[in-house]
Amino acid sequence: MHEMSLAMGLMGQLDELARKHHATRVRRLAIEVGAVSNCVPHLLAQAFEALKEQSPLIAQARLEIRELPVVLSCFDCGKRSELEVFRFVCPHCDSPVVNVLQGEELDLRDVELEIPEDEPEREEEIRR
């Protein structure tokens, strides 16, 4: 399962962030998954749930997944379109000369950490 290796990479990123900021735990994380990112969101969520128990810093983390549609920009007519069918041509003028603006990403967007009060940085949200 490809999503298992993605979840393992995500765990490594979270562990690194938590240690860097002296966090006692990761509370929440939000990721964005594009429709053509080669990642199945529910499988990634299952893999994350299976792996998170391996790290005390991450064991209680809540994963939020935001699924992003494919958005194209047409070089010929200049219109921007959200695709409902994965046919990579402009739905307005049928031009195949398009640029994918959104839909390929797999990004860690937000991480909420719990940081002890005796640390100089109080609870904080880290945005990438």
Side-chain angles (χ1 to χ4, degrees):
M1 176 200 289
H2 168 65
E3 285 74 8
M4 187 62 78
S5 63
L6 294 173
M8 290 171 68
L10 183 58
M11 296 286 292
Q13 283 184 290
L14 293 172
D15 193 58
E16 183 181 318
L17 280 170
R19 292 181 193 286
K20 177 181 174 184
H21 294 279
H22 308 287
T24 55
R25 74 182 177 114
V26 176
R27 286 186 175 178
R28 181 188 65 83
L29 63 142
I31 61 173
E32 293 179 338
V33 180
V36 291
S37 67
N38 199 26
C39 175
V40 180
H42 77 273
L43 294 179
L44 179 59
Q46 287 176 352
F48 180 78
E49 288 300 315
L51 291 174
K52 75 179 191 178
E53 299 301 322
Q54 297 176 9
S55 171
L57 291 173
I58 304 168
Q60 295 179 5
R62 187 178 82 247
L63 173 64
E64 297 170 3
I65 298 177
R66 181 174 164 225
E67 296 182 44
L68 301 175
V70 175
V71 176
L72 300 178
S73 173
C74 179
F75 286 105
D76 288 338
C77 74
K79 293 191 177 178
R80 185 178 168 143
S81 308
E82 186 175 308
L83 290 187
E84 293 180 19
V85 177
F86 297 139
R87 184 173 169 251
F88 288 84
V89 297
C90 177
H92 301 284
C93 70
D94 266 348
S95 171
V97 187
V98 295
N99 182 32
V100 177
L101 301 175
Q102 176 185 286
E104 298 175 314
E105 48 282 281
L106 177 56
D107 295 325
L108 175 59
R109 281 290 171 205
D110 299 308
V111 177
E112 186 179 330
L113 302 174
E114 186 172 293
I115 297 173
E117 289 189 29
D118 60 338
E119 287 293 322
E121 306 174 65
R122 301 245 187 248
E123 284 183 11
E124 72 177 81
E125 215 170 282
I126 299 168
R127 299 202 187 271
R128 289 183 147 197

